[in-house]
Amino acid sequence: MLEKRIEEVSLNAWPASQQIYFDGWILRFANGYTRRANSVNPLFGSSLNVEEKIRYCERLYTAKSQSTIFLLTHFAAPPELDQALAKRHYERVDLTHVQYRDLKQSSIPAEHSVEFRNAAPENWLEGYHRVTNVSLAEHRMHKELLQRIPTTRLLAQIFDSGKIVACGLGVLEADYFGLFDLVTDPKARNQGYGGKLVLSMLRWAQENSASHAYLQVLSSNAAARYLYTKMGFKDLYEYWYRVPKV
């Protein structure tokens, strides 16, 4: 099942600092940095009572002073989990489309109008956080996440006239290539740099024997979804989070 395989490689590409396997569920912990790295992922078969499992997860996350968050898909196990969480007053938030592109169908030409670099980690982080203007604390957590990635990384940067205008993270596992952290400098938006970044990353992936490409985009981000569709991506499946109602 392509969808489940992509969920597996995306979990590897965005690693938690700690995780526990519990009757087919993966409980991930990363000091609260991003929901994906701090959530319950019910990806595999489940045999225990669902209510007891939810309560067990709640105790573990509470012990770490974290909210109990579930990441759900249409193939989450057991199928009644989403309804069980709703009855426990968990809200459904952040509907996200996982988009897919087959990289075997056609070769991607080189983009010569900008300079493309696979940067060193420190240089990439400096550029990423300058473009996004996030806090120093998040910078440290992001660095730790990058260091934990067990497979091949692409720390992509696009330069124009010597200035960084866009950057993104690519993670290659076997022949699956995931695109994450795709950002463009706010001063350089609506000039085609986002598309040039994605195509340059996909070309790198093809050159490194990737056959499949995937990315995740919020349903509410219509502009990004339109861009990725132009880049040859199609919706494959959706995921969403269930979070405790405040």
Side-chain angles (χ1 to χ4, degrees):
M1 183 181 184
L2 179 61
E3 293 95 330
K4 186 170 288 189
R5 178 60 181 143
I6 288 178
E7 273 300 294
E8 290 177 345
V9 296
S10 65
L11 288 176
N12 294 337
W14 202 255
S17 53
Q18 295 178 312
Q19 61 185 28
I20 296 173
Y21 296 91
F22 175 45
D23 186 42
W25 293 3
I26 307 171
L27 285 62
R28 289 155 53 87
F29 305 89
N31 298 315
Y33 182 69
T34 77
R35 282 177 173 157
R36 175 166 278 272
N38 293 272
S39 55
V40 180
N41 292 257
L43 189 56
F44 304 107
S46 179
S47 60
L48 300 178
N49 177 274
V50 66
E51 292 290 342
E52 293 179 1
K53 291 181 69 173
I54 293 171
R55 288 193 292 270
Y56 177 77
C57 294
E58 290 172 341
R59 290 196 296 271
L60 283 183
Y61 280 91
T62 298
K64 290 183 173 290
S65 301
Q66 292 186 215
S67 295
T68 309
I69 300 170
F70 287 79
L71 188 158
L72 298 177
T73 64
H74 69 88
F75 47 88
E80 65 269 23
L81 175 59
D82 191 50
Q83 183 177 2
L85 290 168
K87 288 181 179 179
R88 294 177 68 88
H89 305 292
Y90 280 73
E91 293 183 296
R92 177 171 165 158
V93 300
D94 288 352
L95 178 66
T96 300
H97 294 264
V98 178
Q99 297 189 320
Y100 172 80
R101 173 172 171 168
D102 187 340
L103 294 180
K104 302 187 298 293
Q105 293 182 347
S106 59
S107 60
I108 298 171
E111 176 57 66
H112 298 293
S113 63
V114 291
E115 180 186 355
F116 174 73
R117 296 182 191 173
N118 185 2
E122 291 297 333
N123 292 338
W124 186 86
L125 280 166
E126 180 183 354
Y128 179 87
H129 289 280
R130 185 168 65 246
V131 168
T132 57
N133 193 32
V134 299
S135 69
L136 182 61
E138 289 191 33
H139 177 93
R140 289 195 297 268
M141 292 302 301
H142 205 167
K143 182 178 180 180
E144 291 178 15
L145 187 149
L146 291 179
Q147 292 173 335
R148 290 195 299 266
I149 294 173
T151 52
T152 304
R153 298 176 311 199
L154 167 64
L155 301 175
Q157 294 180 322
I158 291 286
F159 289 80
D160 196 354
S161 302
K163 295 180 62 176
I164 184 170
V165 291
C167 56
L169 166 66
V171 181
L172 178 64
E173 178 181 338
D175 59 344
Y176 284 80
F177 181 68
L179 296 90
F180 305 89
D181 285 341
L182 302 172
V183 294
T184 301
D185 188 325
K187 298 177 182 178
R189 288 176 183 167
N190 301 314
Q191 299 179 47
Y193 292 120
K196 292 175 182 179
L197 171 68
V198 171
L199 290 177
S200 296
M201 293 175 70
L202 294 178
R203 178 176 172 80
W204 179 94
Q206 282 189 330
E207 292 173 345
N208 286 272
S209 303
S211 301
H212 313 275
Y214 67 94
L215 54 80
Q216 302 151 352
V217 57
L218 283 169
S219 176
S220 58
N221 193 344
R225 291 180 62 197
Y226 175 74
L227 170 64
Y228 302 145
T229 299
K230 287 178 59 179
M231 301 295 103
F233 284 88
K234 296 181 180 179
D235 288 348
L236 182 63
Y237 64 98
E238 299 171 348
Y239 70 80
W240 58 95
Y241 292 98
R242 283 285 184 181
V243 300
K245 189 173 183 179
V246 178

